[in-house]
Amino acid sequence: MRGKPTVAVACIALAAALLVAALPAPAQVRRGGILRYAHYAEPPTLDIHWTTAAIVGDITRFIYEGLFTLNSKSEPVPMLVQTWRVSPDRQQYTFELRRGVQFHHGRELTADDVVASLQRWGRVASRGRELFRQVTALTATDRYTVQLRLAEPNALVLPTLAFPGQWAAIYPKEVVDEYGTNVVRRFIGTGPYRLAEHVPDRHIRLERWDRYQPRAEPADGLGGARPANFDAALIMPVPDPAVRIAGVQRGEYDFAHAVPPDEYERLRQDPRVVPFVEPSASWLLGQFNKRQGIMTNKTLRHAVLAALDLEKIMAGAFGPRALWRLDPSLMPKETAFWTDVGKEYYNQKNPQRARQLIAEAGYRGEPIRWLTSPERPTYFDATQIARAQLEAVGLRVELVTTDWATLLTRRTRPELWDIFTTGMLAPLTDPTLILAILPTWPGWYESREVAGLLRLLARHVDPKVRYDFWKRAQKQFYEDAAAIKFGDFFVLHLHRRELKGVVGAPIIDLGTAYLER
Protein backbone atom coordinates (compact mmCIF):
# COMPACT_ATOMS: atom_id res chain seq x y z
CA MET A 1 0.00 0.00 0.00
CA ARG A 2 1.30 3.42 -0.94
CA GLY A 3 1.40 6.16 1.71
CA LYS A 4 1.23 9.95 1.32
CA PRO A 5 4.55 11.72 0.69
CA THR A 6 6.08 12.93 3.92
CA VAL A 7 7.42 16.44 4.48
CA ALA A 8 10.97 15.06 4.44
CA VAL A 9 10.43 13.40 1.11
CA ALA A 10 8.92 16.58 -0.29
CA CYS A 11 11.94 18.58 0.89
CA ILE A 12 14.31 16.12 -0.72
CA ALA A 13 12.37 16.31 -3.97
CA LEU A 14 12.45 20.10 -3.87
CA ALA A 15 16.17 20.13 -3.17
CA ALA A 16 16.78 17.72 -6.04
CA ALA A 17 14.71 19.89 -8.34
CA LEU A 18 16.67 23.00 -7.35
CA LEU A 19 19.95 21.14 -7.83
CA VAL A 20 18.95 20.01 -11.30
CA ALA A 21 17.88 23.54 -12.14
CA ALA A 22 21.29 24.83 -11.02
CA LEU A 23 23.23 22.42 -13.24
CA PRO A 24 24.08 23.41 -16.80
CA ALA A 25 21.74 21.91 -19.35
CA PRO A 26 23.17 18.78 -20.98
CA ALA A 27 24.56 19.33 -24.44
CA GLN A 28 21.95 18.74 -27.10
CA VAL A 29 23.09 16.79 -30.11
CA ARG A 30 22.40 18.96 -33.11
CA ARG A 31 21.73 17.22 -36.39
CA GLY A 32 22.73 19.22 -39.43
CA GLY A 33 25.43 21.54 -40.67
CA ILE A 34 28.60 20.88 -42.61
CA LEU A 35 31.75 19.54 -41.00
CA ARG A 36 34.78 21.41 -42.35
CA TYR A 37 37.76 19.14 -41.83
CA ALA A 38 41.30 20.36 -42.64
CA HIS A 39 43.62 17.40 -43.18
CA TYR A 40 47.36 17.57 -43.70
CA ALA A 41 47.51 16.22 -47.26
CA GLU A 42 45.69 14.99 -50.32
CA PRO A 43 45.01 11.25 -49.99
CA PRO A 44 46.77 9.11 -52.61
CA THR A 45 43.54 7.14 -53.13
CA LEU A 46 40.27 6.31 -51.39
CA ASP A 47 40.85 2.59 -51.91
CA ILE A 48 41.65 1.59 -48.32
CA HIS A 49 42.61 -1.97 -49.31
CA TRP A 50 45.44 -0.51 -51.34
CA THR A 51 47.31 1.67 -48.83
CA THR A 52 48.35 1.84 -45.18
CA ALA A 53 48.25 5.65 -45.29
CA ALA A 54 46.45 6.84 -42.16
CA ILE A 55 44.86 9.73 -44.02
CA VAL A 56 42.95 7.26 -46.21
CA GLY A 57 41.67 5.48 -43.11
CA ASP A 58 40.56 8.79 -41.59
CA ILE A 59 38.47 9.61 -44.65
CA THR A 60 37.15 6.19 -45.62
CA ARG A 61 35.67 5.49 -42.18
CA PHE A 62 32.96 7.95 -43.24
CA ILE A 63 32.24 5.91 -46.38
CA TYR A 64 32.80 2.23 -45.67
CA GLU A 65 32.15 -0.35 -42.99
CA GLY A 66 33.76 -3.69 -42.23
CA LEU A 67 32.53 -6.84 -40.58
CA PHE A 68 34.10 -5.71 -37.30
CA THR A 69 35.65 -2.61 -35.80
CA LEU A 70 37.26 -1.61 -32.48
CA ASN A 71 35.61 -0.14 -29.40
CA SER A 72 37.27 2.39 -27.08
CA LYS A 73 39.22 -0.42 -25.37
CA SER A 74 40.56 -1.62 -28.74
CA GLU A 75 38.39 -4.74 -28.54
CA PRO A 76 36.77 -6.13 -31.71
CA VAL A 77 33.03 -5.43 -31.90
CA PRO A 78 30.63 -6.24 -34.77
CA MET A 79 29.70 -3.69 -37.42
CA LEU A 80 28.17 -5.39 -40.49
CA VAL A 81 27.99 -8.73 -38.69
CA GLN A 82 24.90 -9.53 -36.62
CA THR A 83 26.14 -12.74 -34.99
CA TRP A 84 29.17 -15.00 -35.38
CA ARG A 85 30.46 -18.31 -34.07
CA VAL A 86 33.83 -20.03 -33.95
CA SER A 87 34.29 -23.80 -34.25
CA PRO A 88 35.81 -25.64 -31.24
CA ASP A 89 39.08 -26.19 -33.14
CA ARG A 90 39.21 -22.39 -33.89
CA GLN A 91 39.67 -23.09 -37.59
CA GLN A 92 36.22 -22.09 -38.87
CA TYR A 93 34.48 -18.74 -38.43
CA THR A 94 30.83 -18.27 -39.44
CA PHE A 95 29.52 -14.72 -39.88
CA GLU A 96 25.79 -13.90 -40.10
CA LEU A 97 25.32 -10.47 -41.71
CA ARG A 98 22.87 -7.78 -40.70
CA ARG A 99 19.82 -7.75 -42.98
CA GLY A 100 18.74 -4.75 -45.00
CA VAL A 101 22.05 -2.86 -45.05
CA GLN A 102 22.16 -0.72 -48.22
CA PHE A 103 25.16 0.26 -50.34
CA HIS A 104 25.24 3.85 -51.53
CA HIS A 105 24.06 2.80 -55.00
CA GLY A 106 20.92 1.30 -53.46
CA ARG A 107 21.61 -2.45 -53.46
CA GLU A 108 21.45 -4.58 -50.33
CA LEU A 109 24.69 -5.93 -48.86
CA THR A 110 25.00 -9.71 -49.28
CA ALA A 111 27.48 -12.46 -48.46
CA ASP A 112 28.82 -12.34 -52.05
CA ASP A 113 30.02 -8.76 -51.45
CA VAL A 114 31.83 -9.84 -48.29
CA VAL A 115 33.54 -12.79 -49.98
CA ALA A 116 34.68 -10.68 -52.95
CA SER A 117 35.96 -7.87 -50.72
CA LEU A 118 37.83 -10.05 -48.25
CA GLN A 119 39.43 -12.08 -51.04
CA ARG A 120 40.68 -8.86 -52.63
CA TRP A 121 41.86 -7.49 -49.27
CA GLY A 122 43.67 -10.78 -48.71
CA ARG A 123 45.59 -10.28 -51.97
CA VAL A 124 46.24 -6.53 -51.74
CA ALA A 125 46.63 -5.44 -48.09
CA SER A 126 49.71 -6.24 -45.98
CA ARG A 127 47.71 -7.48 -42.99
CA GLY A 128 45.23 -9.18 -45.31
CA ARG A 129 48.01 -11.14 -47.00
CA GLU A 130 49.31 -12.22 -43.60
CA LEU A 131 45.90 -13.52 -42.53
CA PHE A 132 45.12 -15.15 -45.85
CA ARG A 133 48.31 -17.20 -45.74
CA GLN A 134 46.23 -19.43 -43.46
CA VAL A 135 42.82 -19.16 -45.17
CA THR A 136 41.89 -22.36 -47.02
CA ALA A 137 38.32 -21.40 -47.94
CA LEU A 138 36.06 -18.33 -47.88
CA THR A 139 32.52 -19.04 -49.04
CA ALA A 140 29.02 -17.60 -49.03
CA THR A 141 26.84 -20.40 -47.69
CA ASP A 142 23.63 -18.42 -48.22
CA ARG A 143 22.60 -14.81 -48.98
CA TYR A 144 23.63 -13.55 -45.53
CA THR A 145 26.18 -16.09 -44.23
CA VAL A 146 29.94 -16.26 -44.81
CA GLN A 147 32.29 -19.02 -43.65
CA LEU A 148 36.04 -18.58 -43.26
CA ARG A 149 38.14 -21.76 -42.97
CA LEU A 150 41.75 -21.76 -41.74
CA ALA A 151 44.60 -24.22 -42.13
CA GLU A 152 45.42 -23.92 -38.44
CA PRO A 153 43.96 -22.21 -35.34
CA ASN A 154 44.29 -18.44 -35.33
CA ALA A 155 43.38 -16.27 -32.37
CA LEU A 156 43.64 -13.05 -34.35
CA VAL A 157 40.94 -13.30 -37.01
CA LEU A 158 38.57 -10.81 -35.39
CA PRO A 159 41.29 -8.33 -34.27
CA THR A 160 42.71 -8.37 -37.79
CA LEU A 161 39.32 -7.86 -39.47
CA ALA A 162 38.57 -5.04 -37.01
CA PHE A 163 41.91 -3.22 -37.27
CA PRO A 164 41.38 0.31 -38.68
CA GLY A 165 44.61 0.56 -40.70
CA GLN A 166 44.44 -0.64 -44.35
CA TRP A 167 41.26 -2.21 -43.12
CA ALA A 168 38.96 -4.90 -44.45
CA ALA A 169 36.27 -2.56 -45.81
CA ILE A 170 33.41 -4.17 -47.70
CA TYR A 171 32.88 -3.03 -51.30
CA PRO A 172 30.12 -4.11 -53.70
CA LYS A 173 31.07 -7.29 -55.55
CA GLU A 174 30.65 -5.56 -58.92
CA VAL A 175 33.28 -2.97 -57.94
CA VAL A 176 35.71 -5.72 -56.97
CA ASP A 177 34.97 -7.55 -60.24
CA GLU A 178 35.56 -4.36 -62.23
CA TYR A 179 38.92 -3.43 -60.70
CA GLY A 180 40.34 -6.69 -59.38
CA THR A 181 43.60 -5.89 -57.58
CA ASN A 182 44.02 -2.58 -59.42
CA VAL A 183 43.27 0.62 -57.55
CA VAL A 184 39.52 1.14 -57.23
CA ARG A 185 38.10 4.37 -58.65
CA ARG A 186 34.42 3.90 -57.77
CA PHE A 187 33.92 4.39 -54.05
CA ILE A 188 30.70 2.82 -52.83
CA GLY A 189 30.23 1.70 -49.25
CA THR A 190 27.56 1.15 -46.63
CA GLY A 191 28.83 3.85 -44.25
CA PRO A 192 26.97 6.92 -42.97
CA TYR A 193 28.21 9.20 -45.77
CA ARG A 194 28.48 8.73 -49.51
CA LEU A 195 31.09 10.31 -51.74
CA ALA A 196 29.48 13.24 -53.57
CA GLU A 197 32.53 14.92 -55.11
CA HIS A 198 36.31 14.66 -55.13
CA VAL A 199 38.24 17.59 -56.57
CA PRO A 200 41.92 16.64 -56.07
CA ASP A 201 43.95 19.15 -54.04
CA ARG A 202 40.76 21.07 -53.25
CA HIS A 203 38.21 18.99 -51.35
CA ILE A 204 36.33 15.76 -50.84
CA ARG A 205 32.62 16.31 -50.27
CA LEU A 206 30.69 13.62 -48.44
CA GLU A 207 26.91 13.72 -48.00
CA ARG A 208 24.78 11.91 -45.45
CA TRP A 209 23.47 8.60 -46.76
CA ASP A 210 19.79 8.85 -45.89
CA ARG A 211 19.30 5.10 -45.99
CA TYR A 212 22.16 4.44 -43.61
CA GLN A 213 21.29 1.97 -40.85
CA PRO A 214 23.31 2.61 -37.68
CA ARG A 215 23.75 -0.15 -35.17
CA ALA A 216 21.44 -0.17 -32.16
CA GLU A 217 24.19 -0.31 -29.54
CA PRO A 218 25.46 2.95 -27.97
CA ALA A 219 28.50 4.46 -29.62
CA ASP A 220 31.80 3.18 -28.21
CA GLY A 221 35.09 4.00 -29.92
CA LEU A 222 34.64 3.17 -33.61
CA GLY A 223 31.77 0.79 -32.82
CA GLY A 224 28.09 1.04 -32.00
CA ALA A 225 25.80 3.69 -33.45
CA ARG A 226 27.38 6.19 -35.83
CA PRO A 227 24.60 8.74 -36.11
CA ALA A 228 25.70 10.80 -39.17
CA ASN A 229 24.92 14.09 -37.46
CA PHE A 230 26.21 16.31 -40.28
CA ASP A 231 24.37 16.98 -43.51
CA ALA A 232 27.75 16.85 -45.23
CA ALA A 233 31.48 16.77 -44.55
CA LEU A 234 34.00 18.80 -46.52
CA ILE A 235 37.51 17.36 -46.17
CA MET A 236 40.23 19.66 -47.45
CA PRO A 237 43.96 19.08 -47.94
CA VAL A 238 45.76 21.88 -46.07
CA PRO A 239 49.46 20.95 -45.97
CA ASP A 240 50.61 24.05 -44.05
CA PRO A 241 49.93 23.46 -40.33
CA ALA A 242 49.94 27.20 -39.65
CA VAL A 243 47.08 27.59 -42.11
CA ARG A 244 45.19 24.71 -40.49
CA ILE A 245 45.56 26.32 -37.05
CA ALA A 246 44.63 29.81 -38.22
CA GLY A 247 41.65 28.39 -40.11
CA VAL A 248 40.26 26.79 -36.96
CA GLN A 249 40.87 29.93 -34.94
CA ARG A 250 39.02 32.05 -37.50
CA GLY A 251 36.17 29.56 -37.81
CA GLU A 252 36.94 28.51 -41.38
CA TYR A 253 37.50 24.90 -40.29
CA ASP A 254 35.90 22.91 -37.50
CA PHE A 255 38.74 20.42 -37.15
CA ALA A 256 42.46 20.43 -38.01
CA HIS A 257 44.23 17.11 -38.16
CA ALA A 258 47.72 16.86 -36.66
CA VAL A 259 48.98 20.30 -35.65
CA PRO A 260 52.56 20.96 -34.46
CA PRO A 261 53.17 19.97 -30.82
CA ASP A 262 55.10 23.16 -30.07
CA GLU A 263 51.81 25.06 -30.50
CA TYR A 264 50.23 23.12 -27.64
CA GLU A 265 50.70 25.64 -24.80
CA ARG A 266 49.72 28.64 -26.93
CA LEU A 267 46.55 26.97 -28.18
CA ARG A 268 45.50 25.97 -24.69
CA GLN A 269 45.13 29.69 -23.90
CA ASP A 270 42.77 30.34 -26.85
CA PRO A 271 39.10 30.15 -25.70
CA ARG A 272 37.87 29.60 -29.25
CA VAL A 273 39.55 26.25 -29.77
CA VAL A 274 40.32 22.92 -28.07
CA PRO A 275 43.75 21.24 -28.47
CA PHE A 276 42.97 17.51 -28.54
CA VAL A 277 45.72 15.03 -27.62
CA GLU A 278 45.13 11.47 -28.76
CA PRO A 279 45.44 9.28 -25.65
CA SER A 280 46.80 6.26 -27.55
CA ALA A 281 50.54 6.12 -28.20
CA SER A 282 52.01 5.91 -31.70
CA TRP A 283 55.72 5.64 -32.46
CA LEU A 284 58.06 7.33 -34.87
CA LEU A 285 59.87 5.02 -37.26
CA GLY A 286 62.87 5.24 -39.56
CA GLN A 287 62.35 2.28 -41.85
CA PHE A 288 65.42 0.73 -43.49
CA ASN A 289 65.21 -0.66 -47.02
CA LYS A 290 66.32 -4.25 -46.49
CA ARG A 291 65.61 -5.43 -50.02
CA GLN A 292 67.91 -3.23 -52.12
CA GLY A 293 70.67 -0.65 -51.66
CA ILE A 294 73.19 0.32 -49.05
CA MET A 295 71.03 -0.32 -45.98
CA THR A 296 70.85 -4.03 -46.73
CA ASN A 297 74.19 -3.97 -44.88
CA LYS A 298 73.19 -4.93 -41.30
CA THR A 299 76.41 -3.60 -39.79
CA LEU A 300 75.72 -0.20 -41.32
CA ARG A 301 72.18 -0.28 -39.91
CA HIS A 302 73.67 -0.92 -36.47
CA ALA A 303 76.01 2.03 -37.01
CA VAL A 304 72.96 4.26 -37.52
CA LEU A 305 71.35 2.96 -34.31
CA ALA A 306 74.61 3.53 -32.39
CA ALA A 307 74.95 7.13 -33.60
CA LEU A 308 71.50 8.50 -32.75
CA ASP A 309 70.61 10.55 -29.67
CA LEU A 310 66.90 9.83 -29.59
CA GLU A 311 66.06 12.19 -26.75
CA LYS A 312 67.34 15.17 -28.73
CA ILE A 313 65.45 13.98 -31.80
CA MET A 314 62.12 13.48 -30.01
CA ALA A 315 62.42 16.74 -28.05
CA GLY A 316 63.28 18.65 -31.22
CA ALA A 317 60.40 17.17 -33.19
CA PHE A 318 57.62 16.86 -30.61
CA GLY A 319 58.31 19.66 -28.12
CA PRO A 320 56.43 19.44 -24.80
CA ARG A 321 57.33 16.33 -22.85
CA ALA A 322 53.64 15.55 -22.36
CA LEU A 323 53.43 14.71 -26.06
CA TRP A 324 56.27 12.18 -26.34
CA ARG A 325 58.37 9.67 -24.39
CA LEU A 326 61.39 7.44 -24.92
CA ASP A 327 60.63 3.72 -24.85
CA PRO A 328 62.39 0.79 -26.59
CA SER A 329 59.24 -1.34 -26.63
CA LEU A 330 57.46 -1.77 -29.96
CA MET A 331 54.20 -2.19 -28.03
CA PRO A 332 53.01 0.71 -25.83
CA LYS A 333 53.37 0.67 -22.05
CA GLU A 334 49.59 0.60 -21.76
CA THR A 335 49.44 -2.91 -23.28
CA ALA A 336 50.23 -6.33 -21.82
CA PHE A 337 52.94 -6.81 -24.47
CA TRP A 338 55.27 -4.07 -23.23
CA THR A 339 58.87 -5.25 -22.88
CA ASP A 340 62.26 -3.57 -22.91
CA VAL A 341 64.22 -6.49 -24.40
CA GLY A 342 66.68 -5.11 -26.91
CA LYS A 343 67.06 -1.86 -24.95
CA GLU A 344 70.86 -2.04 -25.28
CA TYR A 345 70.38 -1.11 -28.96
CA TYR A 346 68.06 1.81 -28.17
CA ASN A 347 69.15 5.45 -27.70
CA GLN A 348 72.85 4.51 -27.65
CA LYS A 349 74.14 8.01 -28.60
CA ASN A 350 77.60 6.51 -28.97
CA PRO A 351 79.48 8.22 -31.84
CA GLN A 352 82.66 6.24 -31.18
CA ARG A 353 80.83 2.92 -31.52
CA ALA A 354 79.08 4.23 -34.65
CA ARG A 355 82.38 5.13 -36.34
CA GLN A 356 83.76 1.68 -35.51
CA LEU A 357 80.72 -0.02 -37.09
CA ILE A 358 80.90 2.26 -40.14
CA ALA A 359 84.46 1.09 -40.72
CA GLU A 360 83.50 -2.57 -40.21
CA ALA A 361 80.64 -2.14 -42.70
CA GLY A 362 83.08 -1.09 -45.45
CA TYR A 363 81.25 2.20 -45.98
CA ARG A 364 82.84 4.36 -48.71
CA GLY A 365 80.80 7.55 -48.50
CA GLU A 366 77.86 6.45 -50.60
CA PRO A 367 74.78 8.68 -50.15
CA ILE A 368 72.04 7.32 -47.91
CA ARG A 369 68.79 8.44 -49.53
CA TRP A 370 66.32 9.34 -46.76
CA LEU A 371 62.77 9.80 -47.99
CA THR A 372 60.70 12.30 -45.99
CA SER A 373 57.94 14.89 -46.37
CA PRO A 374 57.52 18.39 -44.92
CA GLU A 375 53.77 17.74 -44.98
CA ARG A 376 54.38 15.75 -41.77
CA PRO A 377 56.37 18.42 -39.85
CA THR A 378 57.21 16.27 -36.81
CA TYR A 379 58.48 13.45 -39.01
CA PHE A 380 60.40 15.95 -41.13
CA ASP A 381 61.98 17.71 -38.14
CA ALA A 382 63.05 14.39 -36.62
CA THR A 383 64.63 13.37 -39.92
CA GLN A 384 66.61 16.58 -40.17
CA ILE A 385 67.98 16.21 -36.63
CA ALA A 386 68.86 12.56 -37.26
CA ARG A 387 70.60 13.54 -40.48
CA ALA A 388 72.85 15.98 -38.62
CA GLN A 389 73.75 13.33 -36.05
CA LEU A 390 74.60 10.76 -38.74
CA GLU A 391 76.70 13.23 -40.72
CA ALA A 392 78.63 14.01 -37.51
CA VAL A 393 79.89 10.41 -37.46
CA GLY A 394 80.81 10.37 -41.14
CA LEU A 395 77.71 9.14 -42.95
CA ARG A 396 76.52 11.04 -46.01
CA VAL A 397 72.74 11.53 -45.89
CA GLU A 398 70.75 12.83 -48.84
CA LEU A 399 67.24 13.97 -47.91
CA VAL A 400 64.67 13.21 -50.61
CA THR A 401 61.68 15.45 -49.88
CA THR A 402 58.29 15.01 -51.50
CA ASP A 403 54.65 15.60 -50.71
CA TRP A 404 53.17 12.89 -48.53
CA ALA A 405 51.15 11.19 -51.27
CA THR A 406 54.28 10.86 -53.43
CA LEU A 407 56.26 9.46 -50.51
CA LEU A 408 53.61 6.78 -50.01
CA THR A 409 53.94 5.79 -53.64
CA ARG A 410 57.74 5.90 -53.80
CA ARG A 411 58.27 3.80 -50.70
CA THR A 412 56.82 0.81 -52.55
CA ARG A 413 59.75 0.97 -55.04
CA PRO A 414 62.94 -0.33 -53.35
CA GLU A 415 65.23 1.23 -55.97
CA LEU A 416 64.24 4.77 -54.91
CA TRP A 417 65.20 4.99 -51.22
CA ASP A 418 67.30 3.69 -48.32
CA ILE A 419 65.36 4.99 -45.28
CA PHE A 420 61.95 6.60 -44.98
CA THR A 421 60.27 8.25 -41.98
CA THR A 422 56.76 7.38 -40.90
CA GLY A 423 54.72 6.50 -37.86
CA MET A 424 53.44 3.24 -36.47
CA LEU A 425 50.12 4.73 -35.56
CA ALA A 426 47.65 3.89 -32.84
CA PRO A 427 45.93 1.67 -32.09
CA LEU A 428 48.76 -0.81 -31.56
CA THR A 429 46.62 -3.66 -30.29
CA ASP A 430 48.70 -6.75 -31.03
CA PRO A 431 52.34 -7.32 -32.05
CA THR A 432 51.30 -9.28 -35.14
CA LEU A 433 49.68 -6.12 -36.54
CA ILE A 434 52.85 -3.96 -36.44
CA LEU A 435 53.61 -3.29 -40.10
CA ALA A 436 57.33 -2.64 -39.56
CA ILE A 437 57.95 -6.31 -38.72
CA LEU A 438 56.06 -7.74 -41.69
CA PRO A 439 57.85 -8.85 -44.89
CA THR A 440 54.93 -7.56 -46.98
CA TRP A 441 55.33 -3.89 -45.98
CA PRO A 442 57.93 -1.47 -47.49
CA GLY A 443 61.18 -2.18 -45.71
CA TRP A 444 60.63 -5.88 -46.42
CA TYR A 445 61.83 -7.39 -43.15
CA GLU A 446 62.54 -11.02 -44.05
CA SER A 447 63.36 -12.95 -40.87
CA ARG A 448 62.55 -16.65 -40.58
CA GLU A 449 62.89 -16.37 -36.80
CA VAL A 450 60.43 -13.48 -36.48
CA ALA A 451 58.03 -14.92 -39.06
CA GLY A 452 57.91 -18.19 -37.12
CA LEU A 453 57.31 -16.39 -33.84
CA LEU A 454 54.50 -14.32 -35.36
CA ARG A 455 52.82 -17.51 -36.58
CA LEU A 456 53.04 -18.93 -33.05
CA LEU A 457 51.66 -15.68 -31.65
CA ALA A 458 48.68 -15.97 -33.97
CA ARG A 459 48.08 -19.61 -33.08
CA HIS A 460 48.19 -19.39 -29.29
CA VAL A 461 45.72 -17.72 -26.93
CA ASP A 462 47.51 -18.13 -23.58
CA PRO A 463 48.71 -14.60 -22.63
CA LYS A 464 51.92 -15.80 -20.96
CA VAL A 465 52.88 -18.01 -23.89
CA ARG A 466 52.16 -15.18 -26.35
CA TYR A 467 54.17 -12.70 -24.29
CA ASP A 468 57.20 -15.01 -24.29
CA PHE A 469 57.00 -15.38 -28.08
CA TRP A 470 56.74 -11.62 -28.50
CA LYS A 471 59.79 -10.90 -26.33
CA ARG A 472 61.86 -13.21 -28.54
CA ALA A 473 60.55 -11.47 -31.68
CA GLN A 474 61.37 -7.98 -30.38
CA LYS A 475 64.86 -9.11 -29.37
CA GLN A 476 65.44 -10.40 -32.92
CA PHE A 477 64.07 -7.13 -34.37
CA TYR A 478 66.75 -5.18 -32.49
CA GLU A 479 69.53 -7.67 -33.22
CA ASP A 480 68.71 -7.38 -36.93
CA ALA A 481 68.55 -3.57 -36.67
CA ALA A 482 65.35 -3.89 -38.67
CA ALA A 483 64.34 -0.24 -38.21
CA ILE A 484 64.86 2.83 -36.05
CA LYS A 485 62.34 3.25 -33.29
CA PHE A 486 62.77 6.89 -32.26
CA GLY A 487 60.14 7.13 -29.51
CA ASP A 488 56.44 7.22 -28.67
CA PHE A 489 54.29 10.25 -29.44
CA PHE A 490 50.73 11.40 -28.91
CA VAL A 491 49.18 13.18 -31.90
CA LEU A 492 47.87 16.70 -31.29
CA HIS A 493 44.76 17.87 -33.15
CA LEU A 494 42.75 21.10 -32.91
CA HIS A 495 39.02 21.75 -33.13
CA ARG A 496 36.52 24.54 -32.59
CA ARG A 497 35.01 24.63 -29.13
CA GLU A 498 31.52 24.15 -30.57
CA LEU A 499 32.50 20.86 -32.19
CA LYS A 500 31.45 18.16 -29.74
CA GLY A 501 31.63 14.38 -29.63
CA VAL A 502 35.21 14.01 -30.90
CA VAL A 503 36.49 10.53 -30.05
CA GLY A 504 40.15 9.83 -29.24
CA ALA A 505 40.20 6.11 -28.49
CA PRO A 506 41.16 3.82 -30.01
CA ILE A 507 42.02 6.52 -32.59
CA ILE A 508 40.80 9.97 -33.56
CA ASP A 509 37.33 9.74 -35.06
CA LEU A 510 34.45 12.11 -35.86
CA GLY A 511 31.78 9.47 -36.43
CA THR A 512 29.72 10.72 -33.48
CA ALA A 513 30.71 14.39 -33.63
CA TYR A 514 28.25 17.25 -34.04
CA LEU A 515 28.16 21.04 -34.03
CA GLU A 516 26.68 22.81 -31.03
CA ARG A 517 25.65 26.34 -31.97
Side-chain angles (χ1 to χ4, degrees), residues 50 288-293 369 371 406-420 440-444:
W50 187 79
F288 293 124
N289 182 348
K290 295 172 286 296
R291 175 171 289 178
Q292 186 174 335
R369 299 162 299 168
L371 190 56
T406 301
L407 183 151
L408 296 174
T409 301
R410 287 193 176 188
R411 73 182 185 184
T412 65
R413 298 177 58 185
E415 72 276 17
L416 294 180
W417 59 276
D418 299 305
I419 309 176
F420 75 86
T440 50
W441 196 64
W444 305 285

Side-chain angles (χ1 to χ4, degrees), residues 70 73-76 127 154-160 163-164 283 330-332 334-338 424-438 453-463 466-467 469-470 473-474:
L70 297 179
K73 298 178 181 176
S74 295
E75 300 164 334
R127 294 186 181 90
N154 188 318
L156 298 172
V157 171
L158 300 191
T160 305
F163 195 79
W283 52 273
L330 306 187
M331 289 294 293
E334 294 76 15
T335 72
F337 288 101
W338 183 90
M424 289 291 101
L425 301 179
L428 299 167
T429 56
D430 192 275
T432 59
L433 299 174
I434 297 175
L435 290 169
I437 61 174
L438 300 182
L453 289 166
L454 293 182
R455 281 197 296 275
L456 291 170
L457 268 163
R459 182 183 301 171
H460 288 271
V461 294
D462 184 293
R466 300 191 78 229
Y467 182 59
F469 288 143
W470 170 238
Q474 180 170 303

Side-chain angles (χ1 to χ4, degrees), residues 21 77 132 181 199 276 317 367 389 393 414 419 432 441-442 479 511:
V77 291
F132 269 71
T181 57
V199 182
F276 188 97
Q389 293 180 1
V393 298
I419 309 176
T432 59
W441 196 64
E479 289 179 349

Side-chain angles (χ1 to χ4, degrees), residues 351-371:
Q352 184 177 356
R353 172 68 174 157
R355 293 189 183 95
Q356 178 185 341
L357 290 168
I358 289 169
E360 292 176 11
Y363 178 69
R364 296 289 183 270
E366 302 93 327
I368 298 172
R369 299 162 299 168
W370 196 321
L371 190 56

Side-chain angles (χ1 to χ4, degrees), residues 376-390:
R376 303 305 305 269
T378 50
Y379 299 2
F380 187 69
D381 292 345
T383 305
Q384 288 188 307
I385 299 169
R387 176 195 190 185
Q389 293 180 1
L390 296 182

Side-chain angles (χ1 to χ4, degrees), residues 137-168:
L138 179 67
T139 55
T141 59
D142 63 36
R143 184 174 175 81
Y144 299 107
T145 307
V146 176
Q147 280 191 347
L148 179 79
R149 185 73 187 169
L150 301 167
E152 58 185 33
N154 188 318
L156 298 172
V157 171
L158 300 191
T160 305
L161 291 176
F163 195 79
Q166 199 174 26
W167 52 293

Side-chain angles (χ1 to χ4, degrees), residues 207-220:
E207 295 179 350
R208 183 193 294 127
W209 172 229
D210 289 334
R211 282 185 268 175
Y212 177 63
Q213 296 188 22
R215 293 193 66 89
E217 301 93 329
D220 182 9

